[in-house]
Amino acid sequence: MVLTRAFSFTDAAVNVAFPRSSAFSRRASITGQYLSGCEPALLLFQLRRAQSNWYQLLTQSDSTPLPDANFIWQIIRQMQEWSERLPNTLPIGVRELFDLELRYSFVYCMSPSAKLPALTDYGRLFIFEHAIAYLDHIYEIAHSGRNTGFYSYHDALRVFFMASQFVAVLRDAEELLLSGIIPQPPPYSMTMPPPLPRRMGGPGFDNLERSLGCLERTTSTLARYGERWDDSVSLKRTFDLISQDVVDRLRMRRQIKQQPSPPRNMQAPPMGRDMRWVDVNVEDMMRGNIGGGGGSRT
């Protein structure tokens, strides 16, 4: 998905048969020893099959809009249930990869597009919370130095995408998100959204500080990835440009909040006129045209 390429278990060009769990237990290596630890691969196939279903509908089918957002909540709930069934015996590094993949999928399929109905306030909060959870988690991974072989430049692209959607939803509903108010979930008759992720710093940590911290950590993550991949330096530079107005506004809000009696003429800078969601064209990025717009979502 991160490369906006065909991704399907049913597309004739990339037809992939779903593996049987029994095949893993019987497969032996060239030494005659039976291979172990194949359970994560089967679990990843399960997630990829679910992703394939909604990715085909949202990006590779006709442009007919979905009648309502219930379909999105259904697929999000299915992926959440898959996550809840993950065995406790999974290695920590694998579980971290699955957690990041899950949150990336949540934000990807919830982000506005021509096929989806208008985003609700709860949908905005859903993107906000899962984007923060993703970006804070991958910051810790990037700076811990553990399991570095698990991550590639594609993860830098994912960081840029998630951070771009985080900035976009803040522009779209800054007052709502910073207030800490949790809107009522949409009254869908069949599927309720999964619970929001646990907040880093606890429930009392306000969203202004969480947002500023997340944006600062994202810049640091892209800088760290820039030490491994030159193109990530361009991702950081582009992100700094598209997020600067939001960072300035949030810092001004913090300054006003910290003053005991703020002057009447001290106001947060106006929000930019362009309130569109950030359009990330990853194909342009892969060709070296970092910052190019006009493409589809990553």
Side-chain angles (χ1 to χ4, degrees):
M1 292 183 295
V2 74
L3 295 178
T4 64
R5 293 175 178 168
F7 174 72
S8 173
F9 276 76
T10 57
D11 191 314
V14 285
N15 191 17
V16 179
F18 193 81
R20 296 171 297 172
S21 57
S22 58
F24 288 109
S25 61
R26 293 197 305 268
R27 188 169 301 166
S29 70
I30 59 175
T31 65
Q33 298 293 323
Y34 282 98
L35 299 176
S36 61
C38 293
E39 186 177 36
L42 183 61
L43 294 169
L44 180 59
F45 264 88
Q46 293 172 353
L47 179 59
R48 289 285 185 256
R49 182 167 61 176
Q51 290 173 325
S52 175
N53 290 334
W54 58 258
Y55 183 81
Q56 290 293 301
L57 181 63
L58 293 180
T59 69
Q60 296 184 338
S61 62
D62 60 45
S63 57
T64 304
L66 296 175
D68 57 53
N70 192 55
F71 170 79
I72 298 298
W73 289 121
Q74 285 177 345
I75 60 179
I76 286 176
R77 170 58 70 179
Q78 290 170 2
M79 290 189 288
Q80 177 68 29
E81 291 174 351
W82 167 87
S83 175
E84 293 169 353
R85 292 193 299 268
L86 291 176
N88 295 329
T89 55
L90 280 179
I92 294 177
V94 173
R95 184 172 290 274
E96 286 180 331
L97 284 170
F98 283 162
D99 179 76
L100 292 172
E101 189 76 20
L102 187 72
R103 300 193 192 285
Y104 175 76
S105 298
F106 283 174
V107 172
Y108 191 108
C109 61
M110 180 62 67
S111 297
S113 72
K115 290 184 67 68
L116 294 178
L119 194 62
T120 65
D121 285 343
Y122 190 84
R124 294 181 179 93
L125 179 64
F126 189 83
I127 292 174
F128 176 86
E129 291 290 348
H130 282 284
I132 284 186
Y134 180 100
L135 294 167
D136 284 349
H137 194 174
I138 203 165
Y139 167 84
E140 295 176 358
I141 293 172
H143 288 79
S144 69
R146 66 180 185 266
N147 298 321
T148 55
F150 287 179
Y151 298 89
S152 69
Y153 177 61
H154 292 176
D155 293 285
L157 292 174
R158 287 188 176 96
V159 169
F160 183 82
F161 170 77
M162 294 290 279
S164 299
Q165 303 312 302
F166 180 69
V167 168
V169 79
L170 271 173
R171 284 202 186 104
D172 202 27
E174 181 179 305
E175 295 295 337
L176 169 70
L177 297 174
L178 296 186
S179 71
I181 297 173
I182 300 179
Q184 287 293 323
Y188 299 125
S189 58
M190 297 178 60
T191 307
M192 288 296 292
L196 296 172
R198 183 178 300 176
R199 287 187 174 191
M200 180 179 176
F205 195 34
D206 72 90
N207 284 349
L208 173 58
E209 295 299 328
R210 293 176 71 214
S211 299
L212 274 170
C214 179
L215 292 168
E216 291 166 359
R217 285 187 288 273
T218 297
T219 299
S220 180
T221 300
L222 291 173
R224 175 57 60 91
Y225 282 154
E227 298 171 5
R228 298 181 64 185
W229 307 291
D230 290 341
D231 285 344
S232 189
V233 176
S234 299
L235 290 178
K236 176 185 177 299
R237 188 182 305 117
T238 302
F239 178 70
D240 288 343
L241 289 173
I242 65 176
S243 64
Q244 189 59 56
D245 64 319
V246 173
V247 172
D248 289 344
R249 284 182 57 80
L250 295 183
R251 287 175 176 169
M252 180 64 75
R253 279 180 174 270
R254 174 198 276 168
Q255 186 177 353
I256 294 173
K257 183 177 179 181
Q258 291 175 344
Q259 295 203 6
S261 55
R264 293 182 179 180
N265 60 349
M266 189 174 184
Q267 299 178 352
M271 199 174 299
R273 292 184 179 180
D274 188 357
M275 297 293 292
R276 296 176 302 170
W277 281 68
V278 177
D279 199 13
V280 183
N281 191 326
V282 179
E283 290 180 347
D284 279 351
M285 294 179 191
M286 298 300 290
R287 292 193 293 266
N289 182 21
I290 305 296
S296 59
R297 298 179 298 173
T298 49

